[in-house]
Every structure is written in C-alpha cells, then in structure tokens.
C-alpha cells in the first residue's frame, strides 16, 4: 500500500454527506494538491458546483474548495482514481455497482459513507461492495460517527471513525481526510462500525416520534440508552466488538442522530409523531431517511440471529401501520420486568 496521499479522489454521490465529505477531502488535501472529483446524477448540481462552488440544494450557501470538480460522467470521475468514496442511497447501491465496476481501477480502495442494510438480503454496504466489485476485505472501508453533514460543512469540529480490516489502509484513508475541523480515528471492526451507523437511524426514528408526541427528555434518554443496548446486541451477534459501541461509531453517532434537528431520521420520526402519514413524511423530506428503508431489514436480521430488539420491533410496527404512534411509549414500557442489560 502506497503511503503518498492520493492525487485524485472520486466521490460518487452529491447529496449532503457526499458533497460534505468531498469538501473534507479537498480541505485535507489542499497542501498535497489532491483533487476531488464529485459525481452528480443531476446536471444542474454539477453545473452549480463547477460554476459557483456551491450545492445549494443540500448545503445552502456553503462554499466548496476550488480543488473540487463535479461531473455527471461517472467514467471521467473514476478514471485512474485509487481512492473511491461512495455516498448513494443504500437501496440503490447494488444496481449502480454493476455499471461502475468496469470503471473502478482494479487496485482502488473503496470507502462507504452509507448507513443502511439492503432490503431483501439484510447485507451491510461493505458486503454489497465486496460482492459486486469482487474486492478483498482489506480494500473496502467505511466511515461512520457523528456525521451531521451541515455541521461539518460549516467546519464545526467533528471526530469520526475510518474502519477497515487492514489497519494500514485505514490509516492511509484517515490521513487523506484529516482536516483542521475533521479528526478521523481508525478501527478494524467494520461490522461494529457499520451496525452502529445502521441501527442508530431506527432508534432516531423512535426518539423523533417521542419528540413529535411532545414527550420529555427522560423518555428520549431512556429510548437512546436502551437503543444502544439493542445496537450492541446485534453488533456482537454479528461478530462486532462491544467496545466499538461505546465509541464514536456507536454512542457518538447515536447521540447526534437522536438529538439533532439536522438528522433526517430524527426529523422523519418527529413528523410521524405529529400525525403525518409515512407517505406525507416521505414527500416532505428532501433526502432519504435511511431508517425508514432499513428498519425492516434490521428487524429481519435480529430475528435470524435471535437478538431481542423491542424498540426496532415497535418502530417497524409503526412504519407498517400496525401500531399507532400514540401506543409506541406504552408498548415499550409494558414489557416484562427484568435486570438492565
């Protein structure tokens, strides 16, 4: 593995997090003349980024660095790139990879920014990447943590986690995205880091529902804490490390996603709690709330592994119309008494 900074990084996905991470990479690579190529599905977004250095649809008036360029031509974006970062909706990843595979360098390292389980297969995004691209595990990494895009785009100090089975690869990626306001730690526990980023979206929906119902901080703190327990159970059952859940990719991401108005999943839950239907919530949202898409897959995986996840089970019941948001709290409190753990 080369130790020099990547000359060019490709970021596939020009939503809020993809564009923000492109900014992080560009700021981090300014001293080494790293160029960042961003792929956008919409031509108007590419034109705005190239002309005005903004992506107002997702990041308001944030000014992007000059060493970012954007194109709708994915082949041009990927040409000769050794570090590829992917930030597309989780449920569309597999279908897009078949077209991208011939364009990705056989020696490239691929990084997932996505936080979801694939519906139907219950696969994590790193697994989808490995299956579709035929890459070894040590060339696939994930970035997770408290990653509220707008705050990072505003250069507010943030720590995160780069996870890869190969610690040297994780360190190389971390160096490429270390900016004055963005501090990545490294980890080899890809399973734990991914599960933390996936399940927190479902828990954030539950917390948002509680807020939409105007429940207090005790309620929300209880759901967050027990939600971390559920997340840890699932991660450990899949081979993840429990220590990961007490770090940035576990507790850190959970707190940020469950507490912030900038969180899409928290916002979606709050709208559900206020009485909007799922269709109305989806129409109201400018971006995908991955928890809505992944909740059933998380619950399916829990059932397969015989992992007890009552909050996730209740959120799925709400999403499927089998449980009213009015009954979410009472249902969680009606469970049998037992020791905490």
């Amino acid at each position: 593995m080369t130790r020099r900074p990547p000359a060019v990084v490709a970021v596939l996905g020009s939503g809020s997090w993809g564009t923000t991470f492109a900014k992080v990479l560009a700021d981090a690579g300014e001293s080494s003349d790293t160029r960042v190529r961003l792929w956008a599905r919409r031509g108007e977004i590419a034109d705005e980024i190239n002309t005005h250095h903004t992506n107002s649809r997702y990041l308001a008036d944030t000014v992007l660095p000059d060493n970012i360029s954007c194109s709708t031509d994915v082949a041009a974006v990927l040409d000769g790139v050794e570090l590829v970062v992917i930030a597309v909706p989780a449920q569309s990843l597999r279908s897009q990879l078949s077209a991208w595979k011939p364009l990705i360098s056989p020696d490239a390292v691929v990084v997932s920014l996505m936080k979801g389980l694939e519906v139907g297969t219950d696969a994590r995004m790193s697994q989808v990447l490995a299956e579709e691209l035929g890459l070894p595990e040590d060339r696939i990494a994930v970035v997770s943590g408290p990653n509220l895009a707008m705050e990072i785009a505003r250069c507010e100090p943030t720590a995160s986690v780069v996870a890869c089975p190969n610690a040297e690869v994780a360190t190389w990626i971390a160096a490429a995205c270390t900016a004055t306001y963005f501090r990545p730690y490294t980890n080899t526990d890809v399973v734990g880091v991914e599960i933390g980023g996936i399940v927190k979206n479902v828990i954030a929906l539950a917390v948002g529902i509680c807020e939409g119902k105007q429940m207090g901080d005790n309620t929300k703190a209880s759901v967050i804490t027990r939600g971390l327990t559920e997340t840890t159970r699932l991660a450990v059952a899949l081979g993840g490390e429990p220590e990961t859940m007490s770090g940035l990719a576990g507790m850190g991401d959970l707190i940020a996603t469950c507490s912030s108005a900038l969180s899409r999943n928290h916002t979606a839950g709050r709208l559900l709690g206020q009485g909007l239907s799922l269709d109305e919530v989806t129409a109201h949202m400018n971006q995908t709330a991955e928890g809505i898409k992944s909740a059933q897959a998380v619950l399916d995986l829990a059932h397969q592994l015989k992992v007890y996840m009552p909050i996730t089970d209740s959120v799925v019941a709400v999403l499927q119309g089998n449980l009213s948001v009015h009954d979410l709290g009472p249902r969680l409190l009606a469970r049998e008494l037992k020791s905490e753990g």
Side-chain angles (χ1 to χ4, degrees):
M1 188 71 201
T2 180
R3 290 291 168 222
R4 61 176 176 76
V8 183
V9 183
V11 179
L12 306 184
S14 60
S16 59
W17 186 211
T19 305
T20 295
F21 200 74
K23 179 182 185 300
V24 170
L25 290 161
D27 286 337
E30 189 174 17
S31 61
S32 58
D33 296 324
T34 296
R35 290 173 291 122
V36 179
R37 299 178 191 155
L38 184 61
W39 172 76
R41 188 165 53 87
R42 299 182 179 91
E44 63 270 21
I45 289 180
D47 290 342
E48 181 186 347
I49 290 173
N50 292 328
T51 304
H52 302 291
H53 303 290
T54 59
N55 185 348
S56 56
R57 176 181 174 86
Y58 296 108
L59 294 182
D61 57 356
T62 299
V63 177
L64 302 174
D66 291 342
N67 52 337
I68 293 178
S69 61
C70 191
S71 174
T72 58
D73 183 350
V74 70
V77 170
L78 289 170
D79 184 36
V81 171
E82 58 185 321
L83 181 59
V84 179
V85 179
I86 302 182
V88 299
Q91 306 312 321
S92 69
L93 176 62
R94 192 181 295 271
S95 62
Q96 292 178 288
L97 287 176
S98 58
W100 294 346
K101 180 179 180 180
L103 307 174
I104 295 176
S105 169
D107 298 322
V109 170
V110 178
V111 179
S112 167
L113 301 185
M114 299 160 288
K115 298 178 178 181
L117 282 181
E118 186 178 47
V119 174
T121 67
D122 304 332
R124 292 175 282 111
M125 294 298 99
S126 66
Q127 293 175 307
V128 175
L129 289 170
E131 292 168 9
E132 293 298 317
L133 298 179
L135 294 176
E137 288 185 351
D138 64 359
R139 296 231 312 277
I140 297 174
V142 300
V143 172
S144 193
N147 299 144
L148 295 167
M150 186 57 75
E151 291 187 0
I152 298 173
R154 292 194 295 249
C155 300
E156 296 179 10
T158 303
S160 196
V161 178
V162 176
C164 180
N166 186 320
E168 291 185 2
V169 173
T171 299
W172 180 67
I173 297 167
C177 64
T178 298
T180 56
Y181 55 90
F182 191 82
R183 202 293 191 190
Y185 291 80
T186 59
N187 196 325
T188 57
D189 180 17
V190 173
V191 172
V193 169
E194 279 193 292
I195 290 300
I198 291 164
V199 182
K200 58 96 183 185
N201 288 330
V202 182
I203 306 306
L205 286 171
V207 172
I209 290 171
C210 293
E211 186 165 305
K213 294 296 298 172
Q214 297 186 319
M215 297 178 184
D217 292 334
N218 285 340
T219 303
K220 289 181 282 186
S222 299
V223 174
I224 290 171
T225 305
R226 296 309 301 169
L228 182 60
T229 299
E230 289 192 14
T231 308
T232 303
R233 286 192 198 120
L234 184 61
V236 170
L238 287 165
E241 300 295 332
E243 294 81 5
T244 301
M245 295 302 99
S246 63
L248 290 162
M251 182 170 60
D253 201 6
L254 182 66
I255 291 172
T257 306
C258 290
S259 304
S260 175
L262 295 174
S263 162
R264 287 169 282 179
N265 293 281
H266 177 273
T267 299
R270 177 173 50 79
L271 293 172
L272 287 169
Q274 290 172 349
L276 274 68
S277 69
L278 186 55
D279 288 341
E280 289 171 333
V281 170
T282 302
H284 186 276
M285 302 284 291
N286 187 35
Q287 299 183 71
T288 302
E290 287 288 2
I292 292 176
K293 301 287 187 180
S294 297
Q296 182 64 62
V298 171
L299 187 60
D300 289 344
L301 193 57
H303 287 164
Q304 291 171 27
L305 297 168
K306 295 181 171 53
V307 174
Y308 185 48
M309 301 183 72
I311 299 174
T312 300
D313 184 49
S314 296
V315 169
V316 170
V318 169
L319 295 176
Q320 293 180 343
N322 297 325
L323 179 69
S324 165
V325 292
H326 305 292
D327 297 327
L328 177 64
R331 172 170 169 166
L332 292 174
L333 293 178
R335 293 180 294 120
E336 64 178 309
L337 299 180
K338 64 174 189 174
S339 63
E340 183 180 22

